[in-house]
Amino acid sequence: MTRTELSQYLADFLQVSNFKDYAPNGLQVEGSSEINTIVTGVTACQALIDAAIELNADAILVHHGFFWKSEPEIIVGMKQKRIKALLVNDINLMGYHLPLDAHPVVGNNAQLAKVLNIVEAEVIEGVAQGLIWRGKLAEPITASAFNEHISQKLNRRCQHLGDENALVSSVAWCTGGAQDYIDIAANMGIDAFISGEVSERTYHLAVEQGIQYYAAGHHATELYGIQALGEHLADKFGLTHHFVDIVNPV
């Protein structure tokens, strides 16, 4: 397919126009006009770009791309090296941030529910641009046992804040750096909230509101959406797809 066809399809499929985001969603660096091979990964770091070059990719699709509102606008140093590698090798870079978190099928939140075996998963409507989801465990388990379950499924030691002996049945979650959404889950009477990162204040918010908090890793909670998106594109359009996991302990 062409770059334009892929870009337009993803804009519609991920409903990009529905989101107010911190970075541009869609094509960020222009490369080849013809797309046969795509590489997907969580973050557009140099290691992912190098892997895409080795795989002769025409496009890289990521969750964390370039040109965030808070970053310097000048293209020097690390940013220059990354963008130069893309341009020299004629590789497109496409980034999808909040739209990929929220998508009901291939999104990070939807995919995390599958990985963690959370049932009756659904969006909490009307808050946070539809980025917070809720669901249930098949049967109640202790907060400590749920921490072990998350750690095993994500292959990363999860950090639990709260009462180890409390029972967890209802769960809310938002992948990545969404620890401050814990208040929304607590006000809804949900037993536990999962996100990727944790702040000093999160401990007090969890303990004082009687909700269990799980910091499961920013990278670890967002591995699955971009991979599912790549698989979807490969199935639908016959593209060659390579998912490349650049390990990140955060």
Side-chain angles (χ1 to χ4, degrees), residues 3 33 37 44 56 60 90 96 101 121 130 149 154 161 163-164 175 182 194 202 224 233 237 243 248:
R3 176 184 63 241
S33 61
T37 300
N56 294 313
I60 302 173
D90 208 20
Y96 298 93
D101 287 321
H149 172 74
L154 300 187
L161 306 179
D163 180 0
E164 292 187 351
T175 64
I182 186 175
I194 307 167
T202 313
Y224 307 102
L233 293 171
F237 299 108
F243 171 68
N248 186 332

Side-chain angles (χ1 to χ4, degrees), residues 43-87:
T43 299
C45 60
Q46 188 66 52
L48 181 66
I49 295 170
D50 292 342
I53 294 169
E54 290 294 320
L55 291 165
N56 294 313
D58 303 302
I60 302 173
L61 277 64
V62 295
H63 181 48
H64 302 134
F66 296 161
F67 311 115
W68 300 90
K69 290 181 179 178
S70 59
E71 74 179 34
E73 295 178 354
I74 55 175
I75 301 176
V76 298
M78 180 181 69
K79 184 190 287 188
Q80 185 269 354
K81 183 180 178 182
R82 291 174 173 180
I83 293 175
K84 180 179 179 180
L86 292 169
L87 293 174

Side-chain angles (χ1 to χ4, degrees), residues 17-237:
S17 62
N18 290 347
F19 294 88
K20 182 179 180 181
D21 214 332
Y22 313 103
N25 287 297
L27 182 64
Q28 296 184 341
V29 178
E30 185 178 295
S32 172
S33 61
E34 183 176 332
I35 309 294
N36 293 294
T37 300
I38 59 173
V39 163
T40 58
V42 177
T43 299
C45 60
Q46 188 66 52
L48 181 66
I49 295 170
D50 292 342
I53 294 169
E54 290 294 320
L55 291 165
N56 294 313
D58 303 302
I60 302 173
L61 277 64
V62 295
H63 181 48
H64 302 134
F66 296 161
F67 311 115
W68 300 90
K69 290 181 179 178
S70 59
E71 74 179 34
E73 295 178 354
I74 55 175
I75 301 176
V76 298
M78 180 181 69
K79 184 190 287 188
Q80 185 269 354
K81 183 180 178 182
R82 291 174 173 180
I83 293 175
K84 180 179 179 180
L86 292 169
L87 293 174
V88 167
N89 290 280
D90 208 20
I91 299 175
N92 296 281
L93 176 67
M94 299 180 178
Y96 298 93
H97 187 230
L98 297 185
L100 187 61
D101 287 321
H103 193 272
V105 178
V106 303
N108 285 321
N109 287 316
Q111 291 295 313
L112 186 63
K114 292 182 179 180
V115 172
L116 297 181
N117 304 126
I118 298 171
V119 299
E120 299 181 31
E122 62 180 4
V123 176
I124 298 177
E125 300 287 355
V127 295
Q129 300 190 74
L131 295 172
I132 308 175
W133 285 50
R134 67 181 299 171
K136 297 180 180 179
L137 304 184
E139 58 182 44
I141 59 175
T142 65
S144 178
F146 190 42
N147 190 46
E148 292 300 322
H149 172 74
I150 297 171
S151 298
Q152 182 181 28
K153 289 292 185 179
L154 300 187
N155 195 31
R156 180 191 186 278
R157 190 63 193 170
C158 179
Q159 183 177 6
H160 168 232
L161 306 179
D163 180 0
E164 292 187 351
N165 298 314
L167 285 179
V168 175
S169 177
S170 58
V171 184
W173 65 96
C174 181
T175 64
Q179 59 267 47
D180 287 338
Y181 288 156
I182 186 175
D183 290 339
I184 295 173
N187 290 336
M188 297 181 71
I190 294 171
D191 299 328
F193 186 70
I194 307 167
S195 190
E197 299 184 9
V198 64
S199 301
E200 185 275 341
R201 60 186 172 275
T202 313
Y203 172 78
H204 302 290
L205 294 172
V207 170
E208 293 179 31
Q209 296 181 96
I211 185 172
Q212 310 308 307
Y213 181 76
Y214 297 90
H218 196 134
H219 180 83
T221 57
E222 297 191 327
L223 276 172
Y224 307 102
I226 196 68
Q227 185 174 2
L229 180 61
E231 291 170 354
H232 168 78
L233 293 171
D235 290 342
K236 187 172 181 66
F237 299 108

